[in-house]
Amino acid sequence: MFDYLIRNAVVVDGTGNAPFEADVAIRGGRIEAVGKLADQPAGQVIDAAGRYLTPGFIDVHRHGEAAAFRDGYGKAELAQGLTLVINGNCGLSMAPIQGPNRQEILDYLAPVVGDMPAGCDFTSVAEYKQQLSRVPQRIHNGILVGMGTVRGCAAGFYDGPLNDEQYAFIHSLLKQGLEDGAQGVSLGLGYAPECFYDTEGMIRSLEPLKDSGVVITVHMRQEGDEVVEALEEMLTVARALRTPMQISHLKAIGTRNWDRCVPKMIELLRAARAEGIDVTCDVYPYPAGSTQLIHVLPPEFQAGGMDALTEALLDPGKREIMKQRMKTGTDFENISLLVGFENIQATSLRLPEHQIYEGRNIVEIARMQGKDVYDALFDLLAAEHCTPAMIDRITSDSDIDRILSEPYSGVISDATYPENGLMHPRVYGNIPRLLEHYVRERGLLTIEAAVRKITGLPAERFCLKTKGHIAPGMDADLCLFDLKNIHQTGTWQKPDQLAAGMDTVFVMGKPALLEGEFTDHFVGQIL
Ligand SMILES: [Zn+2]
């Protein structure tokens, strides 16, 4: 007898093939059969009544490794149909963190990942998984080894070339992380301290991955004026390492780069793939991003970490240099020059006296303080020891359309989880945004193409062999919904609203969400 029989579903199976009508049977956490099963016995029968049944959705780019310890974690994810997420992206993983630079690394991660959970210490990926295993999970969680964190353990925020010993230490941490079961490796070349690698040094740091088949996700060195060159750099790295690579959140920042750089990058990606380089990309379906607010500063000032940067922000001479660099520089991701301070909102402010600025853009804050925009920004950052985050409106909708239209592009959220403050709506709304806006309202993607980008494609990319498809033998991670009800409830002003329209979500054969209500099935696994 089946545990569950879902009858009369329109199955979108994760392959990208057209939807088909079928019954799907579940037993022992797996999909047991797909077809005409009406007359077969089952513990419980669910009439899908023509609703879509898809594999559980997968988001391979989130920053929730610390959030996974918080109360209520998994609800925002499950309500949008996510059954599996991979954290530790952009080089910024919270494991493995060890050695004398621990606190500096944690301070640097805070605007993206949040704080180290109370009573925890993730000196290795194994230690991370062990500690997470004590917290019941609604969904499956994986983690990548972040190479920024690893470099931080070896050399702090030192900006010079590394020595043999430091490379050896980086290699040992990387190999240990993979042995401990990380799903891959993430790079954050736009961030300190990885921005201090030249191409050769970066390749050397990744030496153990040569011909490994381990996937590398890449937040590139630049997403602004030199984004095309940054992609060329990564294709050089992919050629040298011969291991799968996924370019994270592909985009071109800045009005002058819109509609110009993404078409070039798509051409480069297509050519590289035709040449046999195993490279893909992903995109988040919003024209705004979110990361550390210090990301608007010239990266060279991040040498020495947050203490040194805070000092520089208070030093009149260095402030002046920063200001001039930001007014004209094109050799770094100069976000304020590219999109304007009015498109950069300060968030996750911690000081009580700064709460009136939460969610306001830098121009507004400067006006409220009667200061020049640069002074307002530098003062705010220095007073907050550089830990604020930002939501920055940086990309064009037409570029998002172009990337979504490529069959090898995945969809991710890049959800960040700072401890407090206004969050990006993608944390709660990424999947509904994709299904509601790009499938139902605009028809840019068919349902099967969109579903593939958040099921079969990422599962294949990350070698999750029992995930991402509806077929006998696969894990019974499933979503049941009516497309017309899917809705991103959160807004830019009030983003932390559970998504609407997902009816039932199975995780390992158990309904973790049943007809819109959370159940007490906590069967999520640590990958
Ligand atoms: Zn990133």
Side-chain angles (χ1 to χ4, degrees), residues 173-432:
L173 286 181
L174 169 55
K175 283 191 263 189
Q176 189 60 50
L178 294 171
E179 271 166 40
D180 290 349
Q183 276 65 54
V185 170
S186 74
L187 304 188
L189 293 159
Y191 294 108
E194 280 179 275
C195 60
F196 305 131
Y197 279 126
D198 58 16
T199 308
E200 218 169 287
M202 183 209 327
I203 292 173
R204 185 170 172 196
S205 75
L206 299 168
E207 193 75 30
L209 298 179
K210 218 170 205 175
D211 296 307
S212 64
V214 172
V215 67
I216 307 175
T217 69
V218 187
H219 177 134
M220 297 194 293
R221 196 180 290 279
Q222 255 225 39
E223 295 176 333
D225 287 335
E226 294 179 356
V227 67
V228 177
E229 290 81 354
L231 176 59
E232 281 166 344
E233 176 185 37
M234 290 324 302
L235 294 176
T236 303
V237 176
R239 275 190 198 97
L241 296 175
R242 297 182 298 264
T243 198
M245 180 176 284
Q246 180 144 326
I247 306 298
S248 296
H249 43 64
L250 190 71
K251 64 169 87 69
I253 298 176
T255 40
R256 66 192 186 205
N257 296 316
W258 291 355
D259 302 321
R260 186 174 74 80
C261 295
V262 164
K264 277 189 204 162
M265 291 194 284
I266 287 174
E267 253 174 64
L268 282 172
L269 286 170
R270 286 181 184 167
R273 290 169 57 80
E275 177 194 329
I277 297 176
D278 187 1
V279 60
T280 51
C281 67
D282 54 48
V283 62
Y284 49 75
Y286 295 86
S290 179
T291 187
Q292 306 152 328
L293 181 54
I294 57 166
H295 206 66
V296 304
L297 304 175
E300 64 270 19
F301 286 93
Q302 294 183 37
M306 302 294 227
D307 289 341
L309 181 55
T310 303
E311 267 173 50
L313 286 164
L314 294 169
D315 177 308
K318 288 182 179 160
R319 276 169 87 106
E320 195 48 42
I321 300 172
M322 264 190 244
K323 210 182 272 191
Q324 290 313 319
R325 288 273 287 136
M326 291 170 72
K327 280 182 177 169
T328 55
T330 57
D331 59 326
F332 68 102
E333 195 169 290
N334 195 355
I335 298 174
S336 62
L337 179 68
L338 289 169
V339 303
F341 277 115
E342 66 278 18
N343 285 306
I344 299 170
Q345 289 170 274
T347 62
S348 301
L349 301 171
R350 297 201 189 204
L351 295 176
E353 63 269 32
H354 286 166
Q355 295 313 305
I356 46 166
Y357 307 130
E358 177 70 30
R360 294 188 187 270
N361 71 54
I362 306 297
V363 174
E364 284 178 297
I365 295 171
R367 200 178 298 135
M368 288 166 79
Q369 298 180 337
K371 286 182 189 168
D372 158 79
V373 276
Y374 294 95
D375 288 325
L377 171 71
F378 296 165
D379 290 345
L380 187 76
L381 281 170
E384 296 264 347
H385 197 249
C386 297
T387 60
M390 66 173 167
I391 295 173
D392 48 340
R393 291 168 195 268
I394 46 180
T395 58
S396 84
D397 284 309
S398 47
D399 280 340
I400 297 172
D401 286 1
R402 288 187 178 95
I403 300 166
L404 283 173
S405 301
E406 293 296 294
Y408 53 83
S409 71
V411 171
I412 51 97
S413 66
D414 199 8
T416 56
Y417 295 82
E419 292 295 323
N420 66 302
L422 190 72
M423 59 171 66
H424 192 299
R426 62 194 178 185
V427 180
Y428 282 72
N430 202 62
I431 301 286

Side-chain angles (χ1 to χ4, degrees), residues 118-198:
C120 290
D121 197 12
F122 311 138
T123 56
S124 65
V125 170
E127 190 62 30
Y128 172 75
K129 290 168 67 170
Q130 212 267 325
Q131 292 176 40
L132 187 60
S133 70
R134 297 188 201 127
V135 184
Q137 294 292 327
R138 288 188 168 86
I139 59 170
H140 308 307
N141 287 279
I143 189 165
L144 305 176
V145 178
M147 290 304 285
T149 295
V150 165
R151 178 173 163 136
C153 293
F157 288 78
Y158 169 67
D159 61 351
L162 304 187
N163 61 35
D164 292 351
E165 207 180 312
Q166 287 164 327
Y167 277 113
F169 188 54
I170 286 171
H171 292 168
S172 74
L173 286 181
L174 169 55
K175 283 191 263 189
Q176 189 60 50
L178 294 171
E179 271 166 40
D180 290 349
Q183 276 65 54
V185 170
S186 74
L187 304 188
L189 293 159
Y191 294 108
E194 280 179 275
C195 60
F196 305 131
Y197 279 126
D198 58 16

